Amino acid sequence: MGPDRHDPSGSAPPATNLPRRERLRLVLECDGAACVWCRRPIETDLVRATTEHVVPRIKGGPSWLENEVAACARCNRERGHRTPADWIDECQRRGWQPDVDAVVRALRSLQAAIAERGGQRRARPYVATQLRRLDRR
Ligand SMILES: [Zn+2]
């Protein structure tokens, strides 16, 4: 792995500055119009849709589209800062069928984006650990 190419002057990756609604639309297109955790449909007005960071911001996750999945506001709130694998365990305890494939897909695409753009030295090992845990399922 080469030197850390993080550039604080910020050559912003594409999609970072899209408005919230547009980001949500793109994420829904990719994941389907359901919460990745509880699978409730979220295109209706009844369930408030949001995008959520697979690697939480507080754990060093970048605000890139690759780090976002579609979630309902309830799951977004209740997950807190738990790791995807821990929260998936909790979802399954609750009898839900979380979309593990979508989460793995997001983690892989984030891993590829990090490899391409560099930096993210906190998110890197986090992503690797989560992929190891989720791949064992
Ligand atoms: Zn949900």
Side-chain angles (χ1 to χ4, degrees):
M1 201 59 70
D4 190 332
R5 292 183 287 123
H6 179 65
D7 173 12
S9 70
S11 43
T16 294
N17 298 318
L18 287 174
R20 208 194 77 86
R21 286 188 70 84
E22 183 63 8
R23 299 169 77 85
L24 180 60
R25 194 187 60 75
L26 288 169
V27 170
L28 287 176
E29 228 165 61
C30 176
D31 294 339
C35 173
V36 294
W37 311 119
C38 70
R39 306 296 276 275
R40 291 192 297 172
I42 52 178
E43 255 182 348
T44 68
D45 288 339
L46 297 174
V47 178
R48 202 159 66 80
T50 182
T51 61
E52 124 155 8
H53 293 105
V54 182
V55 179
R57 298 283 294 140
I58 203 170
K59 304 292 181 190
S63 42
W64 297 348
L65 206 55
E66 291 87 348
N67 191 30
E68 293 183 28
V69 288
C72 70
R74 175 193 62 188
C75 287
N76 180 263
R77 189 178 56 245
E78 290 188 11
R79 175 188 161 197
H81 300 141
R82 274 181 269 199
T83 67
D86 284 346
W87 177 238
I88 282 170
D89 286 344
E90 173 60 25
C91 292
Q92 287 168 341
R93 264 194 295 277
R94 296 179 184 195
W96 304 342
Q97 278 139 22
D99 191 348
V100 180
D101 287 347
V103 174
V104 166
R105 208 160 50 232
L107 284 165
R108 286 196 205 292
S109 110
L110 177 57
Q111 193 172 50
I114 292 173
E116 190 185 314
R117 295 170 197 151
Q120 310 302 329
R121 71 187 82 194
R122 285 178 68 213
R124 240 177 244 251
Y126 187 105
V127 168
T129 303
Q130 292 302 301
L131 279 172
R132 266 196 306 276
R133 281 187 60 187
L134 293 171
D135 274 346
R136 275 205 303 266
R137 284 151 193 272

